[in-house]
Amino acid sequence: MASGNQTVLYLSEQVVVLISCALSCLGSSLIILTFVVWSDLRTTPRRLLVYLSLSDWLSAVSYAFGVWRAFVADSPECVVQGAISTFANTSSFFWTVAIAVYLYVFIVRSSQRVADSLVLFFHLVSWGVPLAITVAAVCLNKIGYDASEVSVGWCWVSIHAPDRVLWMLLTGKIWEFLAYLTLPILYILIKRHIHVAHAALSEYRPILANRPPTHSFSSMADMKLTLIPIIFIVLRIWSTVRFVLLLAGSPARQNPVLVTLHGIGNTSQGAANCIMFVLFTQPIRTRLCAALCCCGRCRGEGWHAHDDPHRLLPGQDTSTLREEDSTSRVRTDK
């Protein structure tokens, strides 16, 4: 299965990881597109999510190129791909934690002003630190072919670097470990604060309204607060397992199943964020469905108009057509 330290990358593994990369690119693009198209969604938390999506998109593209090429030696393309994926992947860690910190300050500390003031700091850290680390690694010739020891065809820290474990930590693993610790703690504190607030509010519910309260939105938000750190850990843990096996000198890190899970986990963050913050968010999901239905209706109307632009349905007069047209315009404006 492997020759020396080199992990053989099978075609099936390449196909699965490339599909994961494509889904992540699509998911990240959809998050960015919804932010651009609908101005009322441009809140600060969703803006932070867009920055995270930019990192995930760049990471998925660079990983896809590396998996497709399946590098077998050092080359300029290998170094460029490794540098881009190192920067994007590390930046993704920082933006993921930045969103959790923002929500903690905003919800638990109840200070939107302080939370908004942290955005500039988030930019400096989430872009600046990964860029500085990546530039240093490239200048010191630490980025290159790593024989897929802790990757899936793409380049990362060169296998020839005598201090490659140290640079693996600096270019990703240490930030990954910190995220494992930080995210669960922050989201547990946020959930605890929300539950305490709901318990306090329940004392006044009998005198606030007679109709029973709906818990659909609060339960969905509660589920997301639970899933965010869990999904992050589930996706990233396979990379960590292979890194630990590398430190232990175990050949188990070359197991095809583990390699495939590693490839899927490292490239699926954009798709996972899209599912949680677009497809599982009812207002955005409703708008997307309306937009898709509108596009389908317009396409169908275009085909009918091409056949006969003045043709009416049986029993339909021109006043009815004008009324339907005005109604559709009102719905579109909404």
Side-chain angles (χ1 to χ4, degrees):
M1 180 177 62
S3 176
N5 289 330
Q6 181 179 356
T7 300
V8 175
L9 187 63
Y10 297 104
L11 178 61
S12 59
E13 296 170 350
Q14 288 181 278
V15 172
V16 170
V17 177
L18 284 173
I19 293 174
S20 177
C21 290
L23 292 176
S24 191
C25 287
L26 180 62
S28 298
S29 300
L30 191 58
I31 291 175
I32 297 171
L33 182 63
T34 56
F35 181 84
V36 172
V37 171
W38 293 307
S39 58
D40 58 311
L41 297 179
R42 297 171 192 169
T43 60
T44 301
R46 191 156 286 271
R47 184 175 291 107
L48 298 179
L49 179 62
V50 167
Y51 300 143
L52 171 61
S53 299
L54 289 172
S55 298
D56 290 334
W57 186 91
L58 185 60
S59 179
V61 170
S62 62
Y63 281 147
F65 179 75
V67 174
W68 173 66
R69 285 297 305 273
F71 294 104
V72 295
D74 282 320
S75 66
E77 291 178 339
C78 173
V79 174
V80 171
Q81 181 272 314
I84 294 175
S85 62
T86 296
F87 167 77
N89 194 48
T90 307
S91 178
S92 178
F93 291 149
F94 279 99
W95 280 116
T96 302
V97 175
I99 292 174
V101 172
Y102 181 91
L103 293 177
Y104 172 80
V105 175
F106 183 80
I107 296 174
V108 179
R109 297 302 179 184
S110 303
S111 179
Q112 182 178 357
R113 182 182 61 82
V114 174
D116 290 341
S117 67
L118 292 174
V119 174
L120 178 59
F121 174 75
F122 292 153
H123 278 288
L124 294 175
V125 173
S126 300
W127 300 124
V129 173
L131 181 61
I133 293 174
T134 303
V135 170
V138 172
C139 292
L140 296 174
N141 297 320
K142 303 299 181 181
I143 300 296
Y145 173 66
D146 74 338
S148 293
E149 281 195 317
V150 196
S151 69
V152 188
W154 57 76
C155 293
W156 188 27
V157 177
S158 175
I159 191 175
H160 303 297
D163 53 351
R164 63 181 182 275
V165 173
L166 172 62
W167 281 98
M168 285 180 179
L169 290 170
L170 291 176
T171 56
K173 290 306 170 187
I174 190 172
W175 315 115
E176 191 175 62
F177 293 145
L178 290 176
Y180 288 156
L181 297 175
T182 305
L183 291 178
I185 293 175
L186 289 175
Y187 282 110
I188 287 173
L189 292 175
I190 293 172
K191 283 171 58 67
R192 180 177 177 276
H193 177 83
I194 292 175
H195 289 167
V196 170
H198 282 177
L201 182 62
S202 64
E203 299 180 7
Y204 301 95
R205 280 177 183 159
I207 63 175
L208 290 178
N210 292 326
R211 62 187 182 95
T214 176
H215 299 285
S216 59
F217 291 106
S218 60
S219 61
M220 179 60 70
D222 188 68
M223 183 183 72
K224 287 181 181 179
L225 290 174
T226 303
L227 288 179
I228 289 173
I230 292 177
I231 290 177
F232 178 85
I233 294 174
V234 168
L235 291 178
R236 296 289 183 172
I237 195 64
W238 313 110
S239 171
T240 304
V241 169
R242 290 192 71 201
F243 178 71
V244 173
L245 292 175
L246 172 66
L247 296 181
S250 172
R253 69 181 183 276
Q254 299 169 337
N255 182 280
V257 175
L258 185 57
V259 171
T260 303
L261 291 173
H262 176 191
I264 295 173
N266 268 41
T267 58
S268 296
Q269 192 66 50
N273 288 337
C274 179
I275 292 173
M276 281 194 296
F277 299 110
V278 175
L279 302 183
F280 280 3
T281 302
Q282 184 176 352
I284 301 179
R285 185 174 66 248
T286 302
R287 294 187 187 191
L288 284 176
C289 292
L292 292 175
C293 292
C294 181
C295 290
R297 184 171 63 251
C298 291
R299 189 179 296 109
E301 290 174 355
W303 289 339
H304 290 303
H306 183 268
D307 295 336
D308 185 358
H310 302 291
R311 185 180 65 182
L312 299 177
L313 296 175
Q316 183 184 40
D317 56 16
T318 56
S319 61
T320 304
L321 183 63
R322 286 195 297 269
E323 181 180 353
E324 291 180 355
D325 181 63
S326 62
T327 303
S328 65
R329 288 178 182 173
V330 170
R331 291 176 179 174
T332 304
D333 292 337
K334 290 182 180 179

